[in-house]
């Protein structure tokens, strides 16, 4: 731990001890209102964009001022989801669903992320959580991996029986490459696959290409990291990612431009191994959300698998601004026509580890 980070911890602990106790007392159930949301602001009948079928959406609001700033989202199981915010809070959401459509929020809990001494993260340089993945044992979620920017790091937390984030467990190794990350441009997207964990920063490029990093453990147990650049339009920045059942990666990116407005895009990434190099990420555009379709500052992505069906949940970061909204949108990823015709009812082939690799997915 650097001296600067240690200094931040000392200041946070000394100046905010009383506030922390008061804040912890407020942790627990929170009321969230949900209003229905159409996919298109100009035509309520629009329910399909490319391979995505709209399965309902909500505009969320709450009298609790800490609800907002969502930067990461994951499905825990059933109708339960876990989110993190860039102010150092976690938010557990239980959705209401009817006929596979998102219709409301049944219950919610909120809590504060803590450090290795149990002190709440109350200052922005320490609390800026931007990415989330879930560690599972026998299919059950047992831990949450939270990735922070400004003070670039990854911490693992225990999950309680209700899906809330509990005590700090340990720091996860990332490597020296994070030292090159801009203060406000850290790891935003994380996807744990059978080929390793893919870490994608918001604002780290070379020759116009995003510099993703793949981490995996060799047969000797040592952690290895390789840099894998891939193409992404320069006006878009990665905000979240998630592994798909077929071994691919779904990448969420967003754009904000005073001239072009707000937009979000989804791309499919496919890792292709190479015996003589780090491999490559092949990117295939999937779809884009932009006006007149409903869109905001989309920063969070969760994938929910039900049998042969795959559902996507997108959530926006309102930046705690009255000019923005917290949106939760549900889509179903429909099979590609060629894949549907060739294998309408079979499972996709499992990804296999390459030479010298072990399988250790994060979520």
């Amino acid at each position: 731990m650097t001296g600067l980070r240690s200094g931040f911890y000392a200041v946070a602990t000394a100046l905010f001890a009383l506030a922390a106790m008061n804040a912890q007392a407020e942790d627990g159930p929170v009321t969230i209102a949900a209003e229905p949301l159409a996919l298109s602001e100009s035509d309520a009948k629009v329910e399909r964009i490319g391979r995505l079928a709209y399965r309902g959406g909500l505009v969320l609001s709450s009298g609790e001022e800490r609800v907002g700033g969502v930067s990461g989202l994951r499905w825990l199981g059933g109708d339960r989801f876990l989110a993190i915010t860039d102010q150092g809070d976690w938010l557990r959401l239980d959705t209401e669903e009817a006929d596979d459509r998102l219709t409301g929020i049944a219950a919610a809990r909120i809590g504060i992320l803590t450090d290795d001494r149990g002190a709440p993260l109350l200052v922005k340089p320490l609390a800026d959580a931007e990415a989330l993945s879930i560690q599972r044992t026998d299919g059950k979620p047992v831990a949450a991996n939270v990735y922070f920017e400004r003070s670039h790091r990854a911490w693992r937390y225990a999950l309680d029986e209700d899906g809330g984030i509990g005590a700090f467990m340990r720091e996860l190794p990332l490597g020296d490459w994070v030292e090159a990350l801009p203060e406000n441009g850290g790891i935003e997207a994380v996807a744990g696959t059978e080929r390793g964990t893919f870490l994608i920063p918001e604002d780290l490029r070379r020759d116009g290409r995003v510099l993703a990093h793949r981490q995996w453990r060799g047969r000797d147990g040592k952690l290895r990291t390789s840099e894998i650049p891939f193409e992404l339009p320069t006006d878009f920045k990665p905000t979240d990612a998630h592994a798909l059942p077929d071994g691919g990666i779904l990448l969420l990116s967003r754009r904000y431009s005073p001239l072009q407005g707000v937009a979000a895009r989804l791309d499919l990434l496919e890792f292709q191994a190479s015996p003589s190099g780090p491999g490559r990420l092949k990117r295939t555009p999937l779809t884009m959300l932009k006006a007149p379709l409903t869109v905001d500052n989309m920063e969070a992505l969760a994938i929910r698998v039900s049998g042969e069906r795959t559902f996507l949940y997108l959530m926006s970061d309102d930046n705690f601004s009255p000019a923005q909204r917290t949106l939760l949108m549900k889509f179903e990823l429909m099979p590609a026509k060629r894949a549907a015709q060739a294998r309408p009812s079979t499972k996709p082939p499992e990804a296999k580890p390459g030479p010298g690799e072990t399988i250790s997915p994060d979520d």
Side-chain angles (χ1 to χ4, degrees):
M1 182 180 295
T2 65
L4 179 60
R5 192 190 304 175
S6 298
F8 279 136
Y9 280 120
V11 171
T13 301
L15 297 182
F16 295 101
L18 181 58
M21 290 187 290
N22 291 335
Q24 284 180 313
E26 297 172 0
D27 289 355
V30 61
T31 300
I32 295 181
E35 297 294 330
L37 178 71
L39 175 58
S40 172
E41 297 178 352
S42 61
D43 186 354
K45 295 181 180 179
V46 175
E47 292 245 317
R48 184 75 178 260
I49 48 171
R51 287 179 57 191
L52 295 187
Y54 193 51
R55 301 299 186 217
L58 304 169
V59 182
L60 305 183
S61 60
S62 176
E64 169 55 67
E65 62 181 13
R66 291 160 58 196
V67 174
V70 171
S71 54
L73 182 70
R74 283 298 189 264
W75 176 53
L76 295 176
D79 294 329
R80 180 160 288 179
F81 294 82
L82 179 66
I84 54 169
T85 82
D86 57 17
Q87 297 292 329
D89 286 309
W90 56 264
L91 181 67
R92 198 216 67 209
L93 298 171
D94 293 354
T95 60
E96 292 179 343
E97 314 255 347
D99 298 326
D100 294 319
R101 293 190 68 86
L102 175 65
T103 60
I105 300 297
R109 284 178 60 204
I110 196 168
I112 296 178
L113 297 171
T114 59
D115 65 11
D116 55 346
R117 296 173 292 183
L121 304 179
L122 296 174
V123 291
K124 186 72 171 180
L126 298 179
D128 195 350
E130 294 291 343
L132 172 69
S133 69
I134 300 297
Q135 193 77 18
R136 299 177 187 268
T137 299
D138 297 327
K140 178 183 178 181
V142 295
N145 301 327
V146 180
Y147 296 77
F148 298 85
E149 69 178 10
R150 300 180 193 271
S151 176
H152 301 296
R153 66 198 191 280
W155 284 357
R156 177 168 293 173
Y157 293 89
L159 289 179
D160 62 31
E161 290 296 324
D162 291 327
I165 292 182
F168 170 95
M169 296 176 68
R170 65 184 179 91
E171 184 163 4
L172 302 176
L174 290 176
D176 295 340
W177 66 274
V178 299
E179 296 177 4
L181 293 173
E183 179 183 358
N184 194 28
I187 297 171
E188 289 267 347
V190 176
T193 77
E194 291 184 330
R195 291 302 189 96
T197 300
F198 291 82
L199 309 171
I200 304 175
E202 175 186 16
D203 202 11
L204 185 63
R205 294 186 183 235
R206 181 185 301 131
D207 300 326
R209 296 191 295 172
V210 176
L211 298 184
H213 285 75
R214 170 176 169 253
Q215 287 190 330
W216 75 100
R217 291 193 181 277
R219 298 189 186 278
D220 58 3
K222 293 183 178 180
L223 186 68
R224 290 172 167 78
T225 302
S226 61
E227 181 183 279
I228 309 178
F230 69 92
E231 301 288 344
L232 185 71
T234 55
D235 54 343
F236 280 85
K237 294 185 178 183
T239 56
D240 208 347
H242 202 296
L244 289 165
D246 64 1
I249 296 171
L250 190 61
L251 176 68
L252 173 66
S253 304
R254 56 100 189 272
R255 177 193 72 197
Y256 173 73
S257 165
L259 295 179
Q260 297 177 294
V262 180
R265 63 179 295 137
L266 288 164
D267 292 272
L268 297 173
L269 302 180
E270 179 187 0
F271 175 67
Q272 298 175 334
S274 169
S276 58
R280 64 185 290 259
L281 284 169
K282 177 185 175 183
R283 182 180 64 87
T284 303
L286 181 61
T287 195
M288 186 181 298
L289 290 170
K290 62 179 181 179
L293 297 179
T294 301
V295 67
D296 209 300
N297 180 33
M298 312 310 291
E299 285 215 16
L301 165 69
I303 298 229
R304 176 178 185 170
V305 177
S306 178
E308 299 295 323
R309 303 173 72 183
T310 300
F311 298 97
L312 283 55
Y313 292 75
L314 304 183
M315 202 164 181
S316 66
D317 173 3
D318 67 350
N319 287 309
F320 298 98
S321 166
Q324 295 177 261
R325 299 182 294 176
T326 298
L327 308 182
L328 179 61
M329 306 173 74
K330 179 181 180 180
F331 297 88
E332 182 173 358
L333 179 61
M334 308 304 289
K337 289 183 179 180
R338 184 173 61 183
Q341 292 171 356
R343 294 184 301 172
S345 61
T346 59
K347 292 184 178 181
E350 294 183 0
K352 301 296 183 181
E357 295 180 11
T358 57
I359 296 176
S360 57
D362 276 338
D363 59 349

